[in-house]
């Protein structure tokens, strides 16, 4: 049986408002930075947002016109950078929020990029491969003028893959009249992709989690972990924790959750998901109501699905000691306060999941220099970068006596403020 979005259980909580959350986080973080009100004003809205209509001929001969978006939030530090999401709940405010978080993330990890994000309102699981390809190509045709290796560089996000990037980079070559691999990252290796990009976000989450555990006086070996979402990010995060000796006792995807207090065999689960398309039905664990995954008694919780999953309604019941945010914006502003008051450490998204954009930067730099990078070099440079950024944020948190999220925003906004001042945009 092939499951589609229609099979997903519905969450009872109200729809999250990521744009309001992102704006609030920037205003809050700026209090712990050198930014003036002018900087905060500039960061509070995207520089540009495009909405496009994408006509796609369906396999049955009918026409569907999809709505696509691309937001470019800030180019203070360089061209926009950020993924493209294919999901039924995509909307302009979500794309704007995700672009804002990319600006802050790229500044935090000191990359020469601004923030961007794109999306198409669609259920990719209900499209044939041919329809998906026509949609991907249509997205690029509609937005080609706004993209480019020095303008805006997309990558995969929820519902898109390296194959989608392959179609997109090919379509861009047709429109531009020449092959330009550096305009997309997360590409197939054959088209200028970099070894290690597929696992980069999950590996970065593991490194960030390991650093945070160490600060808490814990080792990865023997800790218990629950991972929400078993896609490109969650499946690798679970694998790296598992390989390092942690017990991954819970995982979930949009269709349901699994629990095994003895630990789930993550390699076997990878095989099961490749065969069935879902974690559900895996024989090595008990099934759990999907959203109960977040409430399991574990040391580490990795939300790696969508925004707004940890909210005022469940933050008080979370039992994890440490939350490492794999997804973008998984914790609402209200939930953040509850977690801080309960002494639960949160490694924020802009730090924890930055491995993806860091390795995307390596890919872009590799494409531009035409010099190939080896997998071990990618991994080693990613580890060095994640450790350095974690240390910088942790030091700032101790200095200002505030949670890691505020410290991370403070560091990032300082960098953005300095660049805006140097450009003459602000006082
Ligand atoms: P994906 O489409 O590959 O996977 C998403 C996973 O989440 C799927 O397993 C899906 O079934 C599951 N899911 C969706 N709703 C759920 C719910 N309510 N409960 C449990 N599981 C649910 O997407 P991805 O690329 O893994 O992205 C996941 C998150 O990580 C997003 O917030 C994305 O923006 C963020 N992120 C991705 C990257 C990247 O490199 N792909 C980098 C940084 C951040």
């Amino acid at each position: 049986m092939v499951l589609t979005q229609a099979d997903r259980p519905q969450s009872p909580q109200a729809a999250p408002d990521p744009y309001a959350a992102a704006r609030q986080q920037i205003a809050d973080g700026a209090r712990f930075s050198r930014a003036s009100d002018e900087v905060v004003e500039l960061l509070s809205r995207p520089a540009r947002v495009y909405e496009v209509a994408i006509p796609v001929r369906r396999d049955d001969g009918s026409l569907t016109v999809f709505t696509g978006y691309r937001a470019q939030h800030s180019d203070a530090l360089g061209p926009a950078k950020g993924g493209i999401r294919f999901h039924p709940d995509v909307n302009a405010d979500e794309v704007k929020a995700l672009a804002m978080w990319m600006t802050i993330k790229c500044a935090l990890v000191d990359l020469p990029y601004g923030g961007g994000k794109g999306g198409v309102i669609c259920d990719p699981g209900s499209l044939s491969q041919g329809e998906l390809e026509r949609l991907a190509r249509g997205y690029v045709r509609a937005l080609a003028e706004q993209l480019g290796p020095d303008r805006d560089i997309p990558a995969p996000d929820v519902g898109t893959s390296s194959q989608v990037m392959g179609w997109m980079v090919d379509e861009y070559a047709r429109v531009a009249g020449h092959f330009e691999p550096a305009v997309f990252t997360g590409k197939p290796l054959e088209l200028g992709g970099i070894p290690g990009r597929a696992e980069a976000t999950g590996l970065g989450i593991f490194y960030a989690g390991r650093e945070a555990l160490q600060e808490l006086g814990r080792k990865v070996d023997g800790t218990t972990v629950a991972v929400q979402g078993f896609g490109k990010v969650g499946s690798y995060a679970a694998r790296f924790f598992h390989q390092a000796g942690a017990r991954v006792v819970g995982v979930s995807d949009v269709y349901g959750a699994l629990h095994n207090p003895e630990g789930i065999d993550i390699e076997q689960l990878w095989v099961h998901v490749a065969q069935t398309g879902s974690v559900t039905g895996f024989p090595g664990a008990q099934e759990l109501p999907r959203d109960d995954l977040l409430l399991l008694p574990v040391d580490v919780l990795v939300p790696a699905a969508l925004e707004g999953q940890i909210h005022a309604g469940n933050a008080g019941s979370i039992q994890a000691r440490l939350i490492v945010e794999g997804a973008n914006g998984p914790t609402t502003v209200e939930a953040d306060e509850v977690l801080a008051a309960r002494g639960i450490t949160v490694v924020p998204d802009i730090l924890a999941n930055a491995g993806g954009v860091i390795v995307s930067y390596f890919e872009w730099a590799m494409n531009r220099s035409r010099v190939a990078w080896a997998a071990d070099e990618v991994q080693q440079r990613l580890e060095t970068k994640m450790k350095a950024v974690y240390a910088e944020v942790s030091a700032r948190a101790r200095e200002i006596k505030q949670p890691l999220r505020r410290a991370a925003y403070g560091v990032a906004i300082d960098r953005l403020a300095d660049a805006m001042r140097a450009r003459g945009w602000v006082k």
Side-chain angles (χ1 to χ4, degrees), residues 11 85 98 105 117 156-159 197 201 228-234 252-254 290-291 304-307 309 326-328 353 356:
S11 296
R85 178 173 292 195
L98 290 163
K105 189 185 306 180
K117 206 78 179 196
D157 190 74
V158 174
R197 174 61 183 87
T201 309
Q228 184 199 36
F230 205 72
K232 295 184 291 298
V233 175
S252 67
D253 66 13
V254 72
R290 185 187 69 188
D291 298 342
L306 292 170
E307 52 272 11
Q309 297 300 305
N328 288 307
N353 71 29

Side-chain angles (χ1 to χ4, degrees), residues 111-390:
L111 300 179
Y113 292 139
K117 206 78 179 196
V120 176
I121 306 171
C122 68
D123 177 2
S126 69
L127 300 177
S128 70
Q129 281 295 99
E131 290 169 338
L132 197 60
E133 177 175 349
R134 293 195 284 283
L135 178 58
R137 290 182 182 278
Y139 183 87
V140 170
R141 279 198 302 281
L143 286 160
E145 301 245 311
Q146 328 310 332
L147 306 178
D150 290 312
R151 180 169 290 184
D152 186 350
I153 308 133
D157 190 74
V158 174
T160 53
S161 60
S162 66
Q163 175 59 79
V164 171
M165 296 303 113
W167 293 323
M168 287 187 167
V169 79
D170 181 66
E171 193 63 27
Y172 188 84
R174 290 185 194 195
V175 176
H178 66 280
F179 180 52
E180 179 46 270
V183 67
F184 292 93
T185 60
K187 299 178 294 292
L189 291 178
E190 302 78 6
L191 297 177
I194 194 164
R197 174 61 183 87
E199 57 266 46
T201 309
L203 186 56
I205 289 165
F206 167 74
Y207 291 143
R210 191 183 62 188
E211 297 301 301
L213 279 169
Q214 206 171 338
E215 284 206 317
L216 294 169
R218 299 286 305 263
K219 284 204 176 83
V220 174
D221 193 18
T223 54
T224 53
V225 180
V227 180
Q228 184 199 36
F230 205 72
K232 295 184 291 298
V233 175
S235 63
Y236 277 109
R239 171 178 274 175
F240 289 116
F241 275 106
H242 179 70
Q243 285 177 353
R247 224 168 354 122
V248 182
V249 299
V251 295
S252 67
D253 66 13
V254 72
Y255 307 112
L258 300 176
H259 181 217
N260 181 348
E262 303 305 317
I264 296 167
D265 185 331
I266 296 299
E267 296 309 324
Q268 285 297 320
L269 184 60
W270 264 69
V271 174
H272 174 82
V273 171
Q275 286 167 352
T276 68
S278 172
V279 301
T280 56
F282 181 63
Q286 300 92 48
E287 307 251 336
L288 208 64
R290 185 187 69 188
D291 298 342
D292 287 2
L293 180 283
L294 297 167
L295 311 180
L296 287 174
V298 288
D299 300 312
V300 183
L301 174 63
V302 181
L306 292 170
E307 52 272 11
Q309 297 300 305
I310 302 175
H311 45 82
N314 62 11
S317 311
I318 284 182
Q319 300 190 61
R321 172 71 192 82
L322 172 68
I323 296 175
V324 187
E325 294 185 332
N328 288 307
T331 309
T332 66
V333 173
E334 299 75 29
D336 230 7
E337 283 171 21
V338 176
L339 297 172
R342 295 184 57 219
I344 297 172
T345 302
V346 179
V347 185
D349 46 8
I350 53 168
L351 167 57
N353 71 29
V357 74
I358 292 169
V359 174
S360 274
Y361 166 69
F362 297 160
E363 180 176 336
W364 177 82
M366 179 182 90
N367 293 154
R368 305 209 91 185
S369 67
R370 316 273 178 202
V371 177
W373 287 41
D376 54 352
E377 190 182 0
V378 171
Q379 189 159 332
Q380 182 245 311
R381 286 224 199 178
L382 172 63
E383 181 171 11
T384 305
K385 185 83 176 167
M386 289 299 299
K387 282 171 84 163
V389 177
Y390 187 93

